[in-house]
Amino acid sequence: MPIYEYECRACGTRLEKIQKIDAAPLVECPSCHEGALQRLISAAGFRLSGGGWYETDFKSSGRRNLAGDSKSDKGGTSDS
């Protein structure tokens, strides 16, 4: 599902909301409760969901890429 970005024209509050593509745009601001929310044009964002297919695709020897993993987090390519 896409992540949409909104800004309130009344109070300036900015927020992001995960919505279906065919969902109606939000109108009421959660901060000031005015009907002044406007959907912004921004870089596309989306959320991956599922059983971890992105973790296992295109891998060899069963390795995993995890943040902070000592095997994949070398910090440099120095041989000395």
Side-chain angles (χ1 to χ4, degrees):
M1 279 195 276
I3 301 171
Y4 292 104
E5 190 174 6
Y6 290 89
E7 183 175 32
C8 179
R9 290 175 282 168
C11 69
T13 298
R14 293 184 85 157
L15 63 117
E16 293 178 342
K17 181 73 175 173
I18 298 174
Q19 293 181 290
K20 290 184 178 182
I21 291 174
D22 59 351
L26 299 177
V27 177
E28 185 178 329
C29 176
S31 295
C32 68
H33 303 289
E34 294 288 328
L37 273 185
Q38 181 176 14
R39 188 184 284 178
L40 302 176
I41 297 174
S42 57
F46 63 95
R47 181 179 66 176
L48 296 174
S49 62
W53 57 268
Y54 48 88
E55 185 62 45
T56 57
D57 282 358
F58 308 110
K59 302 285 182 182
S60 61
S61 70
R63 293 181 46 203
R64 298 177 68 187
N65 288 337
L66 298 175
D69 185 7
S70 61
K71 292 179 183 176
S72 62
D73 190 17
K74 298 289 185 191
T77 58
S78 175
D79 291 338
S80 55

